Amino acid sequence: MLKNWVVIPTCLPLVLRRCHTCASERFRANGKFRVNAHHKLLDAWLLVLCTSCGDTAKLSVLERVNVRSVRPELLDRLHDNDLGLTAELLQDPVVRRRNRIALDWAGAWRLDTGEPDHLDREAIDVSVRFAARIPVRPVRLIAEGFGLSRAEVEGLITEGNLVSAVRLSSKLSDDFTFTLKR
C-alpha cells in the first residue's frame, strides 16, 4: 500500500544573518520590498527585521539592472509587496548566496500524512514530497508521521525493517520514498 506524505511550509522561515545593531542572528521577512531607480537602472531589496531589536536589513534582489530587462510581472509583484515572491526569493540559492544568508525552518513547516496510518499491515510504502526546499531529517519525519520516537525509528533502520534508497539519518529537502516492514 502506497501512502503519500507532504512536507508543507506553514510560514516564512527565519533568515540567519548577523544584526549590525544588536549582534542577534535571526531576522523575520515580512514581505516588504524596496525598489529604487537610478535613471534607467533598478535596484530591489527584500526588507527583513531583526527579531531582537527590530532593525531593518536589506537583502539584495536586483542590483543595477536595466529597467527594460525586468519582467513587468516581477516589477508589479515587487511594488505590491507580494508575500509569494518573498517565499520564492528566500528559496532561491542565488539570492541566499549573494546575501550570505541561511534559513531556519524550525517551526515553519508541518507534515501532512493524509488519513491515519495502519501500522498493523505487513509493509507500508511511503512517498514523501516537499512543497518547498525544507531541509529536515527523514528520521524525524518518519517518527512524526507514525507517532514513534526517533530511537524507535533508528531501531527499525538498524533491524532492516525500515529501508530507503536515500540515507535516512542526514537532512534532505528532495522527495524520497521508504518502506516500513512489520
Side-chain angles (χ1 to χ4, degrees):
M1 171 176 206
L2 178 66
K3 299 288 227 174
N4 292 307
W5 292 359
V6 183
V7 178
I8 303 170
T10 56
C11 61
L12 292 173
L14 293 177
V15 175
L16 299 177
R17 175 184 172 165
R18 189 170 189 83
C19 178
H20 297 295
T21 305
C22 70
S24 172
E25 294 191 0
R26 298 201 185 304
F27 284 81
R28 181 168 310 284
N30 60 0
K32 303 288 185 201
F33 292 93
R34 178 168 180 218
V35 181
N36 195 11
H38 303 280
H39 301 287
K40 294 182 182 180
L41 300 177
L42 191 73
D43 290 323
W45 299 277
L46 171 62
L47 302 178
V48 292
L49 301 172
C50 177
T51 57
S52 294
C53 69
D55 191 39
T56 302
K58 298 186 291 187
L59 302 180
S60 177
V61 176
L62 300 173
E63 292 180 356
R64 303 288 182 192
V65 176
N66 191 317
V67 174
R68 291 180 185 231
S69 68
V70 178
R71 294 185 331 269
E73 309 86 46
L74 175 60
L75 202 52
D76 289 342
R77 290 177 78 186
L78 288 168
H79 286 300
D80 293 340
N81 293 320
D82 186 357
L83 200 57
L85 179 60
T86 301
E88 291 172 26
L89 291 172
L90 287 176
Q91 292 284 316
D92 188 353
V94 174
V95 172
R96 290 200 320 250
R97 188 172 34 255
R98 179 187 312 139
N99 291 288
R100 296 183 196 97
I101 62 168
L103 301 178
D104 180 9
W105 283 97
W109 60 272
R110 69 179 175 84
L111 178 64
D112 182 16
T113 59
E115 70 271 359
D117 293 310
H118 303 288
L119 291 176
D120 55 348
R121 293 203 166 93
E122 180 118 354
I124 300 172
D125 293 320
V126 178
S127 171
V128 180
R129 188 176 61 80
F130 288 83
R133 295 190 56 81
I134 303 170
V136 64
R137 295 189 196 292
V139 169
R140 179 176 179 191
L141 291 176
I142 295 167
E144 186 175 320
F146 288 118
L148 303 171
S149 70
R150 290 190 200 173
E152 289 174 310
V153 173
E154 294 286 348
L156 290 169
I157 293 170
T158 305
E159 295 167 3
N161 292 332
L162 183 59
V163 294
S164 178
V166 298
R167 187 174 182 173
L168 297 174
S169 60
S170 60
K171 286 189 176 184
L172 289 176
S173 57
D174 295 323
D175 300 350
F176 69 96
T177 59
F178 67 90
T179 302
L180 175 64
K181 303 174 198 167
R182 282 302 205 168

